[in-house]
Amino acid sequence: MKENPKHIRISEYNYPLPDERIAKFPLPVRDQSKLLIYRHGEVSEDVFTSLPEYLPAESLMIFNNTKVIQARLHFRKETGALIEVFCLEPIQPNDYVLNFQQTEHAAWLCMVGNLKKWKNGPLCREMTVKGFPITLTATRGECRGTSHWIDFRWDNPEVTFADILEVFGELPIPPYLNRDTEESDKETYQTVYSKIKGSVAAPTAGLHFTPRVLDALTEKGIDLEELTLHVGAGTFKPVKSEEIEGHEMHTEYISVSRSIIKKLIDHDACAIAVGTTSVRTLESLYHIGVTLANNPEATEEQLHVKQWQPYETECDVRPVVALQKILGYLDRHGMEALHTSTQIIIAPGYDYKIVKAMVTNFHQPQSTLLLLVSAFVKGNWHTIYDYALGHDFRFLSYGDSSLLIP
């Protein structure tokens, strides 16, 4: 049984991050960002376009192809008060694709800004979408933790909820940028390979990739594949508790095709992950496979990876076998893709099963993402972050990148 990280003190994962080191905007050319290379304890630096030189040919590289949605909706009350409704995850229907296709009604779990000014009654906003004048109303339902059930209704069957967000929504750039969303963010805060709408934050390690870097990786014989994890607002949620036991991870929704599972098996369950979201998805696959090894008849709900599950169940199933169990599950159910969810927390004490190298940005102090990195580099995160701070690296979402090979 692995050491349980619940009693890790988050204060041990702090470092000084002056505001001027946080990149407020990306570089004009994405792939000209700096690349920190951490290999077996040694640190060096290069430019991101050189990434393919550091990776072994014939390896498998996995990207998260989620697309950031324009999830912030603003309503003005007759009193003049501005209310922000931030769509976090779909409730009715709870499938992203179906929800975006809804006409006339959709329900979401939302965070509400300036909540105290929204006493009762629906919020209304008139707008023109695809040439149609419509009235959008938002009605507040039950409170769920820090979020609310919000029913959206509009009066034109020609207009989908996706259309409304596209026209009326605002891209939710990270709060630590301390600035308003600009038109340029619509392009720069998406990866060049983003496809599947559903995230409220970008998988930012992918922001450095350009078609020429992707082509160079392919030319080297590196197999490039995509999965989907819809990034939740929880990615920005600071750890407020002294020990991480008190921090609840948000549920995030994942979709992994049968062909990727097969390709992972062909690569002996070894992958290079682009971004912490790909890391969480790939490592969750292992624990889903363990669930199926112990219970082949597990339901879709039972495949959800709980926050502390990796530390509380025996994980002696080989990674390739775990993936084969998922393939068998998909075959039995005639499914082309695994659709489930994860709350996995990866922290020191975690034993990585599938990810052998990762590309990732530099994360906030005292964040769960820093815990994930520390677990990967066996606690040696200070070496990496001290180097980055001392060598003019840019931090957080629009900042520079690192390649970590433990």
Side-chain angles (χ1 to χ4, degrees), residues 21-36:
R21 301 306 298 275
I22 299 171
K24 299 292 195 282
F25 291 92
L27 296 177
V29 182
R30 292 174 185 244
D31 60 16
Q32 292 305 295
S33 51
K34 284 158 71 106
L35 178 68
L36 181 149

Side-chain angles (χ1 to χ4, degrees), residues 261 264-270 282-294 313-327 350-356:
I261 306 287
L264 280 163
I265 293 168
D266 294 343
H267 282 82
D268 199 30
C270 297
L282 289 166
E283 292 298 313
S284 294
L285 288 179
Y286 172 77
H287 298 287
I288 291 164
V290 170
T291 297
L292 287 166
N294 294 328
T313 50
E314 288 294 347
C315 296
D316 50 4
V317 178
R318 287 193 309 114
V320 167
V321 173
L323 292 167
Q324 286 166 339
K325 297 294 181 189
I326 297 176
L327 208 53
Y350 181 83
D351 184 14
Y352 277 83
K353 301 295 186 180
I354 292 174
V355 177
K356 305 302 178 200

Side-chain angles (χ1 to χ4, degrees), residues 137-398:
T137 64
T139 307
R140 200 169 94 212
E142 69 186 42
C143 178
R144 295 189 178 181
T146 55
S147 308
H148 284 81
W149 175 307
I150 304 290
D151 282 298
F152 296 103
R153 296 185 186 278
W154 57 102
D155 51 358
N156 193 306
E158 301 291 320
V159 173
T160 65
F161 193 61
D163 294 331
I164 288 171
L165 290 183
E166 203 63 39
V167 173
F168 172 48
E170 184 182 283
L171 202 74
I173 61 169
Y176 47 65
L177 294 183
N178 284 327
R179 65 172 176 82
D180 291 336
T181 301
E182 298 194 5
E183 190 63 26
S184 61
D185 291 308
K186 287 185 181 177
E187 185 179 338
T188 57
Y189 197 59
Q190 300 280 12
T191 61
V192 295
Y193 47 80
S194 65
K195 297 179 184 66
I196 313 295
K197 291 180 178 178
S199 278
V200 297
T204 54
L207 296 179
H208 306 274
F209 287 84
T210 56
R212 68 176 163 187
V213 174
L214 296 169
D215 289 346
L217 289 163
T218 303
E219 279 164 29
K220 182 149 186 190
I222 294 169
D223 205 341
L224 310 181
E225 289 291 345
E226 298 173 2
L227 44 72
T228 306
L229 175 141
H230 290 315
V231 190
T235 193
F236 299 129
K237 187 179 169 190
V239 180
K240 294 265 178 66
S241 52
E242 274 187 35
E243 296 186 345
I244 63 168
E245 183 174 24
H247 182 80
E248 186 185 356
M249 294 289 282
H250 272 60
T251 296
E252 294 178 302
Y253 295 88
I254 61 178
S255 173
V256 183
S257 70
R258 187 182 182 285
S259 60
I260 298 244
I261 306 287
K262 197 162 180 331
K263 199 157 270 192
L264 280 163
I265 293 168
D266 294 343
H267 282 82
D268 199 30
C270 297
I272 301 162
V274 175
T276 55
T277 61
S278 300
V279 170
R280 292 202 296 277
T281 309
L282 289 166
E283 292 298 313
S284 294
L285 288 179
Y286 172 77
H287 298 287
I288 291 164
V290 170
T291 297
L292 287 166
N294 294 328
N295 176 15
E297 301 307 312
T299 63
E300 191 176 320
E301 287 71 32
Q302 289 169 321
L303 297 184
H304 168 79
V305 181
K306 297 198 261 318
Q307 180 163 330
W308 302 107
Q309 185 175 325
Y311 313 94
E312 293 170 347
T313 50
E314 288 294 347
C315 296
D316 50 4
V317 178
R318 287 193 309 114
V320 167
V321 173
L323 292 167
Q324 286 166 339
K325 297 294 181 189
I326 297 176
L327 208 53
Y329 170 86
L330 294 177
D331 289 345
R332 285 195 303 278
H333 292 84
M335 294 159 73
E336 278 306 304
L338 175 72
H339 299 284
T340 184
S341 56
T342 182
Q343 272 180 290
I344 193 170
I345 187 167
I346 297 179
Y350 181 83
D351 184 14
Y352 277 83
K353 301 295 186 180
I354 292 174
V355 177
K356 305 302 178 200
M358 78 168 78
V359 176
T360 188
N361 285 14
F362 298 95
H363 305 293
Q364 285 181 286
Q366 302 194 72
S367 63
T368 57
L369 301 181
L370 193 53
L371 294 172
L372 178 151
V373 167
S374 181
F376 194 61
V377 298
K378 306 289 187 283
N380 207 9
W381 68 273
H382 272 297
T383 302
I384 296 162
Y385 278 68
D386 288 349
Y387 184 97
L389 285 164
H391 289 78
D392 212 30
F393 276 71
R394 300 155 71 250
F395 278 62
L396 309 186
S397 298
Y398 275 143

Side-chain angles (χ1 to χ4, degrees), residues 75-120:
F75 294 84
R76 195 169 288 285
K77 294 198 67 182
E78 287 162 14
T79 58
L82 189 67
I83 312 289
E84 179 181 281
V85 180
F86 185 169
C87 298
L88 294 179
E89 62 184 75
I91 312 177
Q92 219 177 51
N94 66 1
D95 176 275
Y96 281 86
V97 176
L98 290 178
N99 197 295
F100 289 134
Q101 291 169 353
Q102 288 301 296
T103 57
E104 302 184 278
H105 171 253
W108 281 68
L109 195 60
C110 301
M111 286 198 298
V112 179
N114 210 5
L115 180 66
K116 60 183 181 297
K117 291 286 172 68
W118 186 7
K119 296 283 194 293
N120 47 37

